[in-house]
């Protein structure tokens, strides 16, 4: 089968090689899937260069999350051959391949009528946004929700889930096309963080009330602007640091403004609180079936186009999610 492999860590453009290799055999707690669709993420760039939190030994195949049809299972796995699943990959046999190994305890089963290109987004992209907004953020109808990087994968899911929950959604993004996209998927107000004073606009839009819930996958100066406009008993959800710098939340500010800072590490829920993931899965599937959410697929890419897909992510040129269909 064909798989992208890294033999020596470095920039993906230099270290990825498309090879013909034997099918991987599932070990305990693993299943082998025929890959049907998988998200392509910035984290895969970090994985190739050895700066991601998981550091598999070389050679390995990137593709941190994927979906497909179960072909074989290892010992102790409850999944059945033929199941449609999405899961975190069991590295070193990741999802940038025709077949991959997945971690069975992190897998979610999907009804067969849902296209795999949607399945792969309804997994960790929507799960992260759902667990953040509902489980951690206690989002309520009527809340002001601010989604930073609204045109990102997790940001676009957060906008849709926020609208479905009856929140009033404000989104930030960094280009006219991204701002228009945020409006199309339900944000009632959008802010161009490159050209507008984000703090002042938040005060104007909310008429001084401030933001009840901030969904923050960005960090850096945008976090600073958002936390200064948090409402009484607001919740700031720390989801990621796409901009680079890790933000600070001075304790005196937390106290005086009476807000809460909440960490969100979704994949840890698959290990420590599976019931939370299962409850989110049921709600996400229900919203999907009722067409209240619609996965935002930027475009699908073929297996031999993985390096070009990673380049598009690197140049910040993607709206929604890139999906690999090998
Ligand atoms: N906590 C969790 O469990 C969890 C789960 C999934 C993802 N994440 C994290 O959430 C963040 C977003 O993930 P994603 O996959 O949805 O991202 P993505 O689709 O690749 O989008 C990232 C967005 O971040 C914004 N951005 C700001 N500064 C940037 C910079 N210096 N370089 C690149 N982009 C920058 C860009 O929006 P503009 O161009 O509009 O500014 C870009 O659209 C990542 O940090 C990821 O690690 C966390």
């Amino acid at each position: 089968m064909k798989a992208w492999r890294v033999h020596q860590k470095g920039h993906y453009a230099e270290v990825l090689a498309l090879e013909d290799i034997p099918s991987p055999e599932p070990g305990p707690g693993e299943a082998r899937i025929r890959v049907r669709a998988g998200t392509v993420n910035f984290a895969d760039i970090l994985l190739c260069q050895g700066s991601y939190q998981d550091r598999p030994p070389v050679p390995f195949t990137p593709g941190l999350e994927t979906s497909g049809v179960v072909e074989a299972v290892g010992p102790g796995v409850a999944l059945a051959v033929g199941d449609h699943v999405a899961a975190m990959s069991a590295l070193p046999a990741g999802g940038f391949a025709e077949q991959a190994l997945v971690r069975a305890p992190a897998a979610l089963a999907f009804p067969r009528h849902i296209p795999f290109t949607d399945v792969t987004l309804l997994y960790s992209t929507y799960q992260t946004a759902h667990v953040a907004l509902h489980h951690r953020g206690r989002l309520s109808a009527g809340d002001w929700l601010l989604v930073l990087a609204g045109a990102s994968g997790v940001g676009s899911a957060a906008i849709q889930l926020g609208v479905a929950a009856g929140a009033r959604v404000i989104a930030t993004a960094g280009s006219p096309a991204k701002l228009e996209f945020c409006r199309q998927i339900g944000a009632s107000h959008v802010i161009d963080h490159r050209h507008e004073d984000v703090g002042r606009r938040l005060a104007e839009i909310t008429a001084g009330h401030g933001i009840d819930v901030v969904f923050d996958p960005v960090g850096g100066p945008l976090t600073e602007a958002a936390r200064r406009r948090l409402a009484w008993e607001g919740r700031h959800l720390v989801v990621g640091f796409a901009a680079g710098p890790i933000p600070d939340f001075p304790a005196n500010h937390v106290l005086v403004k009476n807000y809460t800072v909440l960490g969100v590490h979704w994949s840890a829920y698959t290990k420590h609180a599976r019931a939370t993931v299962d409850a989110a899965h049921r709600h996400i599937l229900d919203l999907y079936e009722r067409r209240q959410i619609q996965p935002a697929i930027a475009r699908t890419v073929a297996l031999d186009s993985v390096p070009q897909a990673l380049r598009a992510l690197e140049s910040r040129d993607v709206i929604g999610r890139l999906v690999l269909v090998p």
Side-chain angles (χ1 to χ4, degrees):
M1 66 110 182
K2 284 192 181 139
W4 285 98
R5 293 228 289 180
V6 171
H7 288 269
Q8 189 185 356
K9 290 173 189 170
H11 190 263
Y12 65 87
E14 282 152 24
V15 300
L16 275 177
L18 189 57
E19 298 177 351
D20 251 312
I21 60 170
S23 300
E25 286 307 319
E30 296 175 352
R32 186 178 71 229
I33 63 166
R34 172 69 50 177
V35 176
R36 298 290 301 278
T39 57
V40 184
N41 295 298
F42 194 81
D44 289 301
I45 295 175
L46 303 179
L47 184 69
C48 290
Q49 62 199 30
S51 47
Y52 186 64
Q53 59 211 43
D54 292 343
R55 294 191 169 91
V58 290
F60 66 86
T61 297
L64 283 162
E65 54 178 47
T66 186
S67 74
V69 181
V70 174
E71 283 187 338
V73 296
V77 171
L79 299 170
V81 171
D83 281 352
H84 288 201
V85 298
M88 304 308 289
S89 303
L91 299 172
F96 292 173
E98 292 173 330
Q99 293 168 306
L101 296 181
V102 297
R103 301 206 301 253
L108 288 175
F110 284 79
R112 288 170 188 233
H113 67 275
I114 303 183
F116 279 104
T117 45
D118 285 350
V119 162
T120 193
L121 269 82
L122 294 172
Y123 184 61
S124 85
T125 303
Y126 277 86
Q127 278 278 339
T128 299
H130 193 287
V131 169
L133 297 180
H134 291 291
H135 182 70
R136 299 293 272 156
R138 308 283 175 209
L139 185 70
S140 298
D143 278 354
W144 281 108
L145 168 65
L146 171 64
V147 179
L148 303 178
S152 66
V154 291
S156 57
I159 291 175
Q160 294 181 19
L161 289 169
V163 171
R168 294 174 285 180
V169 182
I170 306 167
T172 66
S175 75
K178 287 183 175 181
L179 291 165
E180 179 53 28
F181 166 80
C182 292
R183 272 193 197 285
Q184 280 172 7
I185 62 171
S188 55
H189 299 80
V190 295
I191 305 174
D192 183 339
H193 66 78
R194 295 171 316 164
H195 301 302
E196 295 185 87
D197 180 333
V198 174
R200 201 168 68 199
R201 290 276 286 122
L202 292 175
E204 282 167 11
I205 292 166
T206 64
H209 173 85
I211 303 300
D212 297 297
V213 178
V214 178
F215 181 87
D216 183 357
V218 179
L222 273 178
T223 299
E224 174 80 10
R227 79 168 169 81
R228 289 184 177 282
R229 297 295 172 187
L230 274 162
W232 171 255
E233 294 195 336
R235 285 83 76 201
H236 194 116
L237 300 164
V238 179
V239 179
F241 313 107
I246 309 290
D248 286 325
F249 292 86
N252 61 336
H253 195 243
V254 174
L255 183 153
V256 170
K257 299 266 306 220
N258 219 64
Y259 65 80
T260 309
V261 182
L262 296 138
V264 182
H265 181 187
W266 176 73
S267 65
Y269 278 87
T270 64
K271 293 181 198 136
H272 301 298
R274 174 69 194 219
T276 302
V277 173
D278 289 337
H281 189 45
R282 286 191 293 276
H283 191 210
I284 289 167
L285 286 179
D286 182 52
L287 291 171
Y288 175 81
E289 299 289 9
R290 288 193 281 119
R291 297 174 187 267
Q292 287 194 262
I293 57 174
Q294 180 56 54
I297 298 166
R299 61 179 181 277
T300 58
V301 294
L303 189 59
D304 58 5
S305 299
V306 163
Q308 290 91 315
L310 294 173
R311 192 175 315 130
L313 281 177
E314 205 176 29
S315 58
R316 230 163 138 172
D317 197 21
V318 176
I319 297 179
R321 273 265 183 266
L322 290 172
V323 175
L324 167 68
V325 179

